[in-house]
Every structure is written in structure tokens, then in C-alpha cells.
Amino acid sequence: MRILYTSTRRIQAQAAIYTETGDPQKVIKVISHKVPDTADELQRNEVLIRMLAAPVNPSDLNQIEGSYPVKARFKKLNAVDGTNTSLIATVGGNEGVAEILATGSSVAGLYNGDWVVPRQAGVFGTWCTHAVVKDKTILKIPSGWREGVEAIDVACLKVNPSTAYRLLSDFVDLRPGDCIIQNGANSGVGRAVIQLAKHWGIRTINIVRDRPHLPELAQELYNLGADVVISDKQLIDTGDGRIKIKEQIKSLKAPICLGLNCVGGRTTVQMTKLISQGGVLVSYGGMSRQPVMLPTSLLIFKDISARGFWMNRWYSDCTLFNKKEDEIRNMWRNILKLTADHHFTTQPLQHKYWRDLSTEQSTSLVKEAVSWDAGIKQAFVFV
Amino acid sequence: MRILYTSTRRIQAQAAIYTETGDPQKVIKVISHKVPDTADELQRNEVLIRMLAAPVNPSDLNQIEGSYPVKARFKKLNAVDGTNTSLIATVGGNEGVAEILATGSSVAGLYNGDWVVPRQAGVFGTWCTHAVVKDKTILKIPSGWREGVEAIDVACLKVNPSTAYRLLSDFVDLRPGDCIIQNGANSGVGRAVIQLAKHWGIRTINIVRDRPHLPELAQELYNLGADVVISDKQLIDTGDGRIKIKEQIKSLKAPICLGLNCVGGRTTVQMTKLISQGGVLVSYGGMSRQPVMLPTSLLIFKDISARGFWMNRWYSDCTLFNKKEDEIRNMWRNILKLTADHHFTTQPLQHKYWRDLSTEQSTSLVKEAVSWDAGIKQAFVFV
């Protein structure tokens, strides 16, 4: 991102930046700067955007810590606070939706008021009120798709619901009546899987971590369309609980052809044992920080295969092989259509309203939002 | 298998049988019986064969123990020792080559003197001197393929070399110059992989268990065509040994697109880390009895996938979908051609000569051969 400063006509803007990787709550801070409010000062291929909403994803925090494969790109940011100092920093966040305020002279197909999202992770930070970005780094959300959806729905479209969409689409040829099993079922991806599967006629067996208010959480997931909800404790139980689960699963009368894993470790082994002959286990996360363990017999005799999925790689492939861009549009349009029709909703979010704040206020807002202990997914809302 | 006994014209035959699963050395014994020596007494679709050679595979021992997915089929065997008693038993062994001695009236395309092998595991036991089998349970080895090869080469064709052939053919589109990595490289499959890969221009990095005479074993594998041979100890070494290995691998200047695993556990993790982005780890055995452990990052960010291979399933699929039978013939012809041309040799074998022995002698011969501690692969040779 280039933050401009030479003009006198400016928008007062803020951005959550860090100058080195480390504990998010320690390294992140908000700076104020100015961006132009007209197209005159933009380069031919630049676009001025103001963010509408941007979530905090675990991968964003990993990126700040330096442990994510997409590394933060530290670049010279000019004229912080108009003091003419400059610093080498990067703006946090990879997902979000913005509105176009102005476009450079050679920008085609993008107009003021259009909603846009970053084309892929790492191209520019989304935790800021405004940004000047290259036109090729953004994708437009056609105005027709915005009907009946909120900015926050679009802001959270690119990672979790899209991951769920691909997990259900790209590994096994699922047909209505088929059955899948997943752990971390109350995560953003997990909830999206339940809702998309429900819509496509696919049954879901959903594993969540054991917890005090398990029945309430289970009810939430049943309300989203889950067919079976069980706890990891029940899964590894060797007694009656296990038998009951097996009966529940049996009653679905469908082979479990796909397993979705974001946990790893011991309970994932138990889950994998429930997958049918020839099925696929796809890992897209590793919350337990334990490896995926596959008893050799499952691989050899039961022909289970283990794959991995990374949403970023999928988007990169789309950009590399441009023909696939239609697939992005098709996926997003489908998800937003389901959202507008009340068949799909994003996971529970805590909105952090970032508007009309001093840099001190927004710094403390951001520090709260980037806590690993927030308990519920955080999202910045700018409008 | 039907063992006939009503005729007066008979061949004195022996078979290694067991009546219950358990420790191979305890449950197995040899019985004598008689089989007809002409076609008169055969059913229309039966074939009388005499075994030429039959190896002892680990899977045969697992089957006797009851721990193998292909279960022993206990059937009524008549007239053991001509005493008119009968017992419910099964004959050991799944692999081997036999010569046809006589054919029933409706048997087509099979003639006396033809060499045949069992079509798939579990159809009849091969640890016997003679057997009467259904024509559909055997596959003929065309006489042209026998030139320059021994019966023992054909007897050992179906499991290890064929597994190696499929491992190199069915998972990754390997091209000359590509590189693969495997553990258990001195096993029957491992040695076959080295030789086939060499012939096809594919480089091999070979991991063996650390042992006192490592250099001698390494030399053996280099003589077969290995490009790099290292021990599992060197693989997990964090010091100079590791750096040296990395340099050796780097010098091959090729991505490692395929990993072959018959071990599992900790060293397999290290091996998998050497596989290139998007590569495949195929497990076909689990000697360590430890699961295959995959750090989530390898699955997600490095796009490594884990598959399993079971030769029996492949043959079953061939039989189910008959068009694939050409693939069996093609594979076997290729391997035997390489053998005749001295580009391929079976693993070191201890020949157990089973001919003109009393039942007591052959029982002790068989008990020796089915020991898990034999150290070297055992094979019965009947001629």
C-alpha cells in the first residue's frame, strides 16, 4: 500500500500497522495519515478505497506473529501523522470489503461506490479506514450481489465460507444424501460447512470440543442444519456414548465419504475411522497443534487418503490460471445469494466499531480485537 | 481347494495347512493326500497343478495369525492321508507359480505344461506340492515370457515387483529425471522400486534402518541402481550427517514428487518433509506399527497428500473390471522381460527345497519357513 501525503486535499485516515513480527497485542498500533479525497492525485491504475468491514482471522494473527506461510511485506509508509517521517511497516488484515471513493485515469470497470475485496491474501492490509491500492489487486462485487446482504457478510466471504465451499466441492463428488463428518464444527468454516451441506442435501456429522454448555451449542448447530452433533469426548468414549453415536450415524444410512479436519491429534484418528472405504480426509487447520495421525491400515486396506486444503493457494491458482476466476465469482455469488435468502449466515461475530476514533482509541480497539483470547471472532466495522 | 481321494490312480501330494488362526509356527502342519494324475477325474472346469515355487510373504503370516484383511477360508478337506477322515482347514500361501498336469474337459486355453499363477490372493493356497483348482482362479504365463527366467522369478512376481511397479506408475506422473524417496529400501518392494526406477530413468533416495553392516547393504542397493542410500539414523540426525544428506539430495537437482512408505512413525515424518510441494506419500506397509504422522502444515501449506496402496485391492479391481486384465499382463511381461535381460532380480531369498520329503520332514521345513525371525525371505522350491 502507498499512503500518499503531498496533497493539501486529504482524508484523515487510520491504519493498524506493525513494524516487526511478534505478539499481535504488542507489535500492533494505529497510525493516522492522510489520503487524497479526489482522483487527481492517484496514479493512473490506482484506486482510493474506504474500508466498510474487515474481520480478524487466526491466519492474520499468525501472520503478525511471523508463523504464517504468507509473510508480512514490510514497506516504506510515508508521512505518518503528516510529520514527514516515514517508517517500514505493514498494515494488518487480509480480508474485508471496501467502497471505492476515487479511481485513477486508466482504471476500467471500477466506479465510485463499487464494493471491492482484496484479490488474494498479502496484497494489502484491510485493517485501515482508507487505502490507495492498485486496480489489479481488487475484485469487484457486482451491485446485484449486494441486495439483501450486509457489508460484514461480504467482508467475511473470502476465507471461511469460501473454504467450506471448496472443501465440499473439490475433493469428493458429493451427491444429495451423501454424508460427511467434520470436527471443529462450531468454527467459522464448520458452521459454513453445515449450512452449505444442508442446502446441497448433504448430511453432516459434527464434532465439537466438550464444554459446559454443550447442549446449547449443539442446538445452535442443529438450527443451522446439522444432522448429528457430538463432542470429542463422546467420540473417544468406549462405553454407551460411543454405541449411541454409532447408532445415530448408522441411522443416516449413507457412507461417510468425506472428513474435514481442523483439529488433528487423537480425536481426528477416531473421526477418520468413521470414514467409509475409499473416503478422503481433508485437513484445513490444526488447532490441537498435533499432527494428523493415520493408522497404516486405514490408508492401505481402507483406501482412505489424506489431503490438505489452503484457501490462499486456491486463490493463487485462480490468479495464475485466469480462467478459474469465474469459479471465484460463481462461488461468491452463490454464497451471497444464500445469505440474502436467509439460508446462510456468518459465524457469530463481535463487531468492533472503528469510526471517529482518536489514534489512541483505535489503537486500544485494535489491541482488543487481536487478542487470541477474544473467545468470539472479531470484526472491524467502519460504517 | 478340493483335494480328491476316490480314485486309485493318484499322485502322492503334500500341503501345508492350518485349521485355526494363530502363531504360524504352532498352527501350521503338513498333511499328505492323493490327487489324480490324469484328467479323467477332474470336473469339467478343474485343473490339476503341481507347484514349482511359492514364497512366504509377511501377509501370508498375518493371514495365518488372523490379522490380515484377507481372511483364511476354512473348508472341508477330504481324505487326509487316505484315512477317509476329513478336516476343516485351509492351505497356506497366496503367491507362487505352478505347472499344469491335467485339465478338465471344458477348460479352454490352458494346456499341460503351461505355467500358471493364482489370479488373486485367497483363492487357493500355494504352499503345497499339488492342487486341483478351478480354471477361472488362475492366470497363464505365456510360454514366451518364460525364456530366460526361473520359476522362482515368476513365483515372486505377483506381490513385491508388482507393488513396486504400481507404486511408481499409479500415483504421480513420473518422468525420466524425476526423483522419489522411499524407506524400507532393502525390502522386496524397495529393491524392486530401485531397479524399476533405474530402468525408467527415475532417481531414488533410499532409506534403510541403521545396522552394523550399513556400507555393505548400501553397496548392494547402489549395485541395483540406487542414487542415494541413507540410514534412518542419518535422516533424523540434526548435525553434519543431515547437512550431508541434504547436499546429496540437492545434487540430484530434481523435485522429490513421490515418497513410498512401508515403515510409519517418526522417521517417516522426516522423510515426508523432504517431499516437494504438491508431492504424494504412498504407504503400502507399516513395519514400525506406528501410524503415519503428517504435520498439518505439510498437508495444508505444502499440499502433500497421503495415500495408501494395497496390491490385493488392485488385483481385485482388475478382476471386477475385466478390461484392466491387460494391465496385469502388461506389467508382468515387462517385469519378466527385465528379469530375462538381467535388469531385474528378486530380493535375496532362502530356498526351502520341498521335494521327496516325509510329512514330518516337510512339516519342519514349513515351520522353519514361517518364522517371523527368518531374517531373509523364504521361498519353497518344489522342483
Side-chain angles (χ1 to χ4, degrees):
Chain A
M1 185 176 77
R2 259 171 29 106
I3 298 176
L4 301 168
Y5 75 103
T6 49
S7 165
T8 50
R9 291 153 71 203
R10 307 203 164 278
I11 290 168
Q12 183 65 34
Q14 292 182 334
I17 62 145
Y18 53 107
T19 56
E20 56 180 345
T21 54
D23 175 358
Q25 286 199 277
K26 286 188 184 144
V27 298
I28 211 150
K29 66 171 180 173
V30 172
I31 57 160
S32 285
H33 58 101
K34 290 199 159 99
V35 288
D37 60 0
T38 72
D40 305 349
E41 280 177 86
L42 294 172
Q43 300 284 329
R44 292 161 54 89
N45 64 343
E46 283 180 340
V47 178
L48 172 67
I49 57 176
R50 69 164 183 144
M51 294 305 300
L52 302 174
V56 176
N57 287 309
S59 57
D60 298 326
L61 302 185
N62 286 136
Q63 193 176 34
I64 298 172
E65 289 176 338
S67 62
Y68 198 64
V70 176
K71 299 298 175 196
R73 293 185 208 171
F74 295 102
K75 292 188 288 194
K76 199 171 173 187
L77 301 183
N78 284 323
V80 177
D81 288 320
T83 58
N84 259 357
T85 53
S86 68
L87 72 173
I88 307 296
T90 192
V91 179
N94 288 289
E95 194 184 22
V97 65
E99 183 186 351
I100 293 182
L101 294 187
T103 56
S105 57
S106 72
V107 172
L110 294 172
Y111 304 98
N112 291 6
D114 278 352
W115 280 12
V116 293
V117 296
R119 188 182 283 267
Q120 62 183 109
V123 293
F124 63 88
T126 55
W127 298 348
C128 58
T129 60
H130 301 76
V132 173
V133 299
K134 302 263 188 263
D135 57 352
K136 296 289 181 224
T137 64
I138 50 179
L139 279 175
K140 177 174 169 172
I141 300 294
S143 58
W145 301 6
R146 284 158 54 177
E147 273 169 40
V149 303
E150 306 283 330
I152 192 73
D153 299 321
V154 181
C156 296
L157 179 65
K158 219 189 131 194
V159 177
N160 288 347
S162 296
T163 299
Y165 196 102
R166 302 263 54 102
L167 289 173
L168 290 172
S169 306
D170 295 350
F171 294 90
V172 167
D173 182 22
L174 292 172
R175 285 147 200 268
D178 284 349
C179 189
I180 68 126
I181 191 165
Q182 66 168 341
N183 57 28
N186 58 320
S187 70
V189 173
R191 287 165 189 261
V193 162
I194 293 170
Q195 296 175 84
L196 291 174
K198 176 76 180 174
H199 185 70
W200 292 334
I202 297 153
R203 330 286 187 81
T204 57
I205 300 161
N206 299 280
I207 303 161
V208 294
R209 247 179 308 185
D210 195 43
R211 63 191 71 212
H213 299 287
L214 184 62
E216 288 84 344
L217 176 62
Q219 193 53 52
E220 255 187 71
L221 301 187
Y222 283 123
N223 292 346
L224 291 176
D227 291 279
V228 175
V229 181
I230 54 182
S231 76
D232 54 0
K233 201 177 151 201
Q234 287 172 301
L235 185 73
I236 57 173
D237 183 10
T238 49
D240 285 355
R242 188 85 187 277
I243 295 167
K244 212 173 148 190
I245 289 169
K246 289 215 162 174
E247 277 168 10
Q248 255 185 303
I249 292 173
K250 214 173 164 184
S251 74
L252 296 178
K253 287 182 184 153
I256 303 174
C257 29
L258 179 65
L260 304 177
N261 166 47
C262 64
V263 178
R266 188 167 157 234
T267 57
T268 303
V269 179
Q270 292 305 321
M271 181 178 90
T272 308
K273 285 181 179 170
L274 296 174
I275 298 175
S276 309
Q277 174 86 24
V280 181
L281 175 75
V282 185
S283 295
Y284 65 95
M287 290 194 301
S288 73
R289 294 177 189 260
Q290 294 295 308
V292 174
M293 290 181 282
L294 295 161
T296 310
S297 60
L298 290 185
L299 289 162
I300 300 177
F301 304 129
K302 219 175 156 190
D303 198 20
I304 302 292
S305 57
R307 311 265 309 265
F309 179 74
W310 189 24
M311 198 67 232
N312 274 333
R313 188 176 50 244
W314 191 87
Y315 284 123
S316 295
D317 288 350
C318 281
T319 306
L320 286 172
F321 314 107
N322 224 5
K323 58 180 176 160
K324 273 179 78 184
E325 207 151 272
D326 280 347
E327 284 193 56
I328 302 184
R329 294 182 200 284
N330 186 44
M331 170 173 74
W332 287 354
R333 193 187 54 210
N334 283 342
I335 296 168
L336 292 177
K337 182 82 171 51
L338 288 174
T339 308
D341 294 346
H342 306 288
H343 294 310
F344 189 87
T345 181
T346 56
Q347 75 191 104
L349 290 166
Q350 180 165 26
H351 291 201
K352 286 270 191 280
Y353 294 98
W354 182 349
R355 49 201 182 204
D356 304 326
L357 301 180
S358 68
T359 51
E360 289 70 28
Q361 287 171 323
S362 43
T363 293
S364 68
L365 183 88
V366 170
K367 281 185 189 290
E368 270 174 48
V370 298
S371 163
W372 276 112
D373 304 321
I376 179 172
K377 187 172 171 127
Q378 305 285 304
F380 299 114
V381 178
F382 301 88
V383 287
Chain B
M1 184 176 77
R2 260 172 29 105
I3 298 176
L4 300 168
Y5 74 103
T6 49
S7 164
T8 49
R9 293 152 70 206
R10 306 204 165 276
I11 290 168
Q12 183 65 34
Q14 292 182 335
I17 62 146
Y18 53 107
T19 56
E20 56 180 346
T21 54
D23 175 359
Q25 287 199 275
K26 286 187 184 144
V27 298
I28 211 149
K29 66 171 180 175
V30 172
I31 57 162
S32 284
H33 58 103
K34 290 199 156 95
V35 288
D37 60 0
T38 71
D40 304 350
E41 281 177 84
L42 294 174
Q43 299 284 328
R44 292 161 54 91
N45 64 344
E46 283 180 341
V47 177
L48 173 66
I49 57 176
R50 69 164 183 144
M51 294 305 300
L52 301 173
V56 176
N57 286 310
S59 56
D60 297 326
L61 302 185
N62 285 136
Q63 193 176 33
I64 298 171
E65 289 175 338
S67 62
Y68 198 63
V70 177
K71 299 298 175 195
R73 295 186 207 170
F74 293 102
K75 291 189 289 195
K76 198 172 173 186
L77 301 182
N78 285 323
V80 176
D81 287 320
T83 57
N84 260 359
T85 53
S86 70
L87 72 173
I88 307 296
T90 191
V91 178
N94 288 288
E95 194 183 25
V97 64
E99 183 186 352
I100 292 181
L101 294 187
T103 55
S105 58
S106 72
V107 173
L110 296 172
Y111 304 98
N112 291 6
D114 278 351
W115 280 11
V116 293
V117 296
R119 187 183 284 267
Q120 63 183 107
V123 294
F124 62 89
T126 55
W127 297 349
C128 58
T129 60
H130 301 76
V132 173
V133 299
K134 301 265 188 262
D135 56 352
K136 296 288 181 225
T137 64
I138 52 180
L139 280 175
K140 177 174 169 172
I141 300 294
S143 57
W145 301 5
R146 286 158 52 178
E147 273 170 38
V149 303
E150 307 283 330
I152 191 73
D153 299 321
V154 181
C156 296
L157 179 65
K158 219 189 131 198
V159 176
N160 288 346
S162 296
T163 298
Y165 196 103
R166 302 263 55 102
L167 289 173
L168 290 173
S169 306
D170 295 350
F171 294 90
V172 167
D173 182 22
L174 293 171
R175 285 147 199 269
D178 285 347
C179 189
I180 68 128
I181 191 165
Q182 66 167 342
N183 57 26
N186 59 321
S187 70
V189 172
R191 287 166 188 260
V193 162
I194 292 170
Q195 296 175 85
L196 292 175
K198 176 77 180 173
H199 184 69
W200 292 335
I202 297 154
R203 330 287 187 78
T204 57
I205 300 161
N206 300 279
I207 303 160
V208 295
R209 247 178 308 186
D210 194 45
R211 63 191 72 212
H213 299 287
L214 184 62
E216 288 84 343
L217 176 62
Q219 193 53 53
E220 254 187 72
L221 301 187
Y222 283 124
N223 291 347
L224 291 177
D227 291 279
V228 176
V229 181
I230 53 181
S231 76
D232 53 2
K233 200 176 150 201
Q234 288 173 301
L235 184 72
I236 57 173
D237 183 10
T238 50
D240 285 355
R242 188 85 188 276
I243 295 167
K244 212 173 150 190
I245 289 169
K246 289 217 161 174
E247 277 168 10
Q248 254 184 306
I249 292 174
K250 212 173 165 183
S251 74
L252 296 177
K253 286 182 187 154
I256 303 173
C257 30
L258 179 65
L260 304 177
N261 165 48
C262 64
V263 177
R266 187 165 156 234
T267 57
T268 302
V269 179
Q270 292 305 320
M271 181 177 90
T272 308
K273 285 182 179 170
L274 296 173
I275 298 176
S276 309
Q277 174 87 25
V280 181
L281 175 75
V282 184
S283 295
Y284 65 95
M287 289 195 300
S288 72
R289 294 177 189 259
Q290 295 293 309
V292 174
M293 287 179 284
L294 295 162
T296 310
S297 61
L298 290 185
L299 289 162
I300 300 177
F301 304 128
K302 220 174 154 190
D303 198 21
I304 303 293
S305 57
R307 311 264 309 263
F309 179 74
W310 189 24
M311 197 67 232
N312 274 331
R313 189 176 49 243
W314 192 87
Y315 284 122
S316 294
D317 288 349
C318 281
T319 306
L320 286 173
F321 313 108
N322 225 5
K323 58 182 176 158
K324 274 179 77 184
E325 207 151 273
D326 279 348
E327 285 192 56
I328 302 183
R329 294 182 200 285
N330 187 43
M331 170 173 75
W332 288 355
R333 191 187 56 209
N334 283 342
I335 297 168
L336 292 177
K337 183 79 169 54
L338 289 174
T339 308
D341 294 346
H342 306 289
H343 294 309
F344 189 88
T345 181
T346 56
Q347 74 191 105
L349 289 166
Q350 180 165 26
H351 291 200
K352 286 272 190 280
Y353 294 97
W354 182 349
R355 49 200 182 204
D356 303 326
L357 302 180
S358 68
T359 51
E360 290 70 30
Q361 286 172 323
S362 42
T363 291
S364 69
L365 182 89
V366 171
K367 281 184 190 290
E368 269 173 49
V370 298
S371 164
W372 276 112
D373 304 321
I376 179 173
K377 186 171 171 128
Q378 306 286 304
F380 299 115
V381 177
F382 301 89
V383 287

